[in-house]
Amino acid sequence: MDLPYEGGRTRKAHVLLAATELYVAASAHTPRERQQFEELFRQLLRDTPVPHRRIIARLLAPYPHAPNGCLALLAFDPDPEVSAAALATPQPIAEASLVNRVTRGPETVRAVIADRRPLPARVVTALFAQAAPDTLRALLARDDIAPDDDALAALITRAEVLEAVAPDLARRKALSAPLLFRLFLALDAAGRMEAIAAAEARTLSELARKGDPRILAAHFKPDVLKSLVEAALSGGRAAFAAHLAYTLDLPADVAAGILDDAGGEAIVACLRALGTSDADTGRILVRLFGETLPLERMRDLLRLHAAITPRAAMLLVNGLRADLADLAPRAETGDETNAETTAPSRTATHRPLQDGIAHAERRRGEAETAPAPARRSLPSGRRTAG
């Protein structure tokens, strides 16, 4: 009793592939033929084995007269190879279906969708919210794709992926100045130069607005700088990273990343923000990076140290500790306040020493002034000249 059933089922499994081969062999079809093929397709697809479904998808995807209903069924096939082949069709697929398929994955399917042309903005946003770095790099290499604010806002919630594609976003001029500063360590050399140029532009704008050239200078006390230089020359990388984090109020992982950075631009920005001399900067670079950076690269970094203004360097440093959630694109409000000039929201364990007052000095000063009730302490936001 079972043999005829099994034999019939086996024959049934081959019917759809044979029908598809006949269907695509014709140069055109009447509406009635298209309808009949789609009805047959719906009835037989479930019983068609995966190897056959893969062949069917590859046959129908490039065929100009493939029924949309057949392609839609294949696009949501549980086998990723089947769905990927169907989604490679040049025929239109509903935007909602593409978004749904991006959300479900897997990555091979997302990569095929990322290669579709044209690609609606909602699908691009879904890819930025779900796709892996390699898929997003391929997407950003397309001239017809310009990520909008929604896409960037979705990507900002995925810090590791954002950092992986930061150089590609910078090349597309898709990153705002605050994001360039925050992602400085993840950028390539060209992206870092763009970030530095953006910081200098912000500095010039701030100078024009305030009219006070003193904002361009660093304001750290000599004792603070001396301690930092000594930590670099005698304490090694770990001691210097700890001093750097303490002085600039950087998270420990960011300070460690600056010391591990192969390019060297980040440490130069930190030293320039602190106001170290060219001679001290050279000594620090040789001590910490002499074994890893060639001489010519050292010279390039010293030239960068001489070229960048301390205020621009401080904007970069402030940006490194900003919270990505605060940098998500928002609607234009006309407010010029931006992330690199406001208090960073990443948690730090101490206050920045931007006026050059060490914590020991601060505590000693508080102890000396505490018995005098008539004297009021300085507001925490006020800075003492270095």
Side-chain angles (χ1 to χ4, degrees):
M1 294 295 293
D2 291 338
L3 290 178
Y5 175 76
E6 291 296 334
R9 186 171 184 177
T10 301
R11 288 193 299 271
K12 186 178 180 181
H14 292 270
V15 171
L16 187 57
L17 176 57
T20 302
E21 290 173 338
L22 290 173
Y23 187 83
V24 300
S27 59
H29 295 278
T30 64
R32 177 63 176 168
E33 290 172 338
R34 289 168 61 93
Q35 181 181 0
Q36 290 176 339
F37 177 76
E38 184 171 347
E39 291 176 356
L40 180 69
F41 196 93
R42 292 180 181 277
Q43 294 174 12
L44 299 179
L45 183 62
R46 179 178 299 178
D47 296 322
T48 302
V50 170
H52 286 195
R53 298 206 306 272
R54 291 173 179 174
I55 297 173
I56 290 168
R58 288 193 290 267
L59 288 172
L60 286 179
Y63 186 61
H65 306 295
N68 289 335
C70 299
L71 291 173
L73 289 173
L74 292 170
F76 283 89
D77 194 278
D79 180 71
E81 191 171 330
V82 174
S83 57
L87 288 164
T89 179
Q91 294 193 41
I93 297 180
E95 180 180 297
S97 296
L98 292 175
V99 171
N100 190 331
R101 191 69 251 206
V102 167
T103 302
R104 291 176 57 179
E107 198 59 32
T108 53
V109 171
R110 295 189 186 112
V112 172
I113 294 175
D115 195 45
R116 288 184 58 83
R117 288 170 171 77
L119 205 56
R122 280 187 59 213
V123 180
V124 173
T125 298
L127 285 167
F128 271 65
Q130 300 287 340
D134 286 344
T135 301
L136 293 180
R137 290 189 189 101
L139 189 65
L140 289 168
R142 292 174 47 174
D143 293 335
D144 61 324
I145 296 296
D148 59 15
D149 287 350
D150 290 338
L152 288 176
L155 186 58
I156 281 176
T157 64
R158 311 170 66 204
E160 291 185 3
V161 177
L162 174 61
E163 291 179 358
V165 300
D168 305 270
L169 290 167
R171 280 192 289 272
R172 293 297 305 272
K173 310 298 182 186
L175 296 177
S176 63
L179 277 172
L180 284 170
F181 304 159
R182 172 62 178 81
L183 297 170
F184 191 83
L185 289 172
L187 298 174
D188 57 16
R192 292 180 179 190
M193 291 303 103
E194 182 180 347
I196 292 172
E200 294 289 4
R202 293 294 175 102
T203 299
L204 290 176
S205 176
E206 189 176 348
L207 177 62
R209 187 170 63 252
K210 296 182 178 179
D212 185 359
R214 289 178 296 178
I215 66 171
L216 302 178
H219 299 287
F220 286 81
K221 286 189 173 181
D223 288 346
V224 174
L225 301 183
K226 181 180 178 181
S227 175
L228 198 69
V229 173
E230 289 176 351
L233 298 181
S234 60
R237 298 172 71 92
F240 180 75
H243 275 71
L244 191 69
Y246 187 78
T247 306
L248 291 174
D249 198 33
L250 293 171
D253 62 323
V254 174
I258 291 171
L259 270 293
D260 291 337
D261 178 52
E265 295 94 344
I267 186 61
V268 166
C270 289
L271 294 174
R272 190 60 171 144
L274 289 164
T276 58
S277 65
D278 290 345
D280 282 340
T281 297
R283 294 166 65 198
I284 292 173
L285 290 178
V286 170
R287 176 67 178 85
L288 299 178
F289 299 94
E291 296 181 357
T292 58
L293 292 179
L295 179 60
E296 188 56 37
R297 180 57 183 163
M298 291 279 193
R299 290 171 177 164
D300 290 341
L301 292 176
L302 287 174
R303 284 191 286 267
L304 175 62
H305 182 270
I308 188 173
T309 60
R311 178 56 183 163
M314 184 56 76
L315 291 178
L316 292 172
V317 172
N318 288 344
L320 285 172
R321 61 174 183 261
D323 193 322
L324 279 174
D326 295 332
L327 305 183
R330 296 179 176 85
E332 293 293 335
T333 61
D335 185 2
E336 292 299 321
T337 303
N338 43 59
E340 74 274 16
T341 58
T342 58
S345 57
R346 289 182 83 188
T347 303
T349 58
H350 45 76
R351 296 175 57 180
L353 305 180
Q354 293 177 3
D355 55 2
I357 302 177
H359 283 228
E361 293 176 309
R362 191 183 304 276
R363 288 195 297 270
R364 185 166 58 248
E366 290 171 354
E368 292 173 352
T369 58
R375 295 181 61 185
R376 299 179 61 188
S377 60
L378 293 175
S380 58
R382 183 173 176 179
R383 296 182 177 181
T384 306

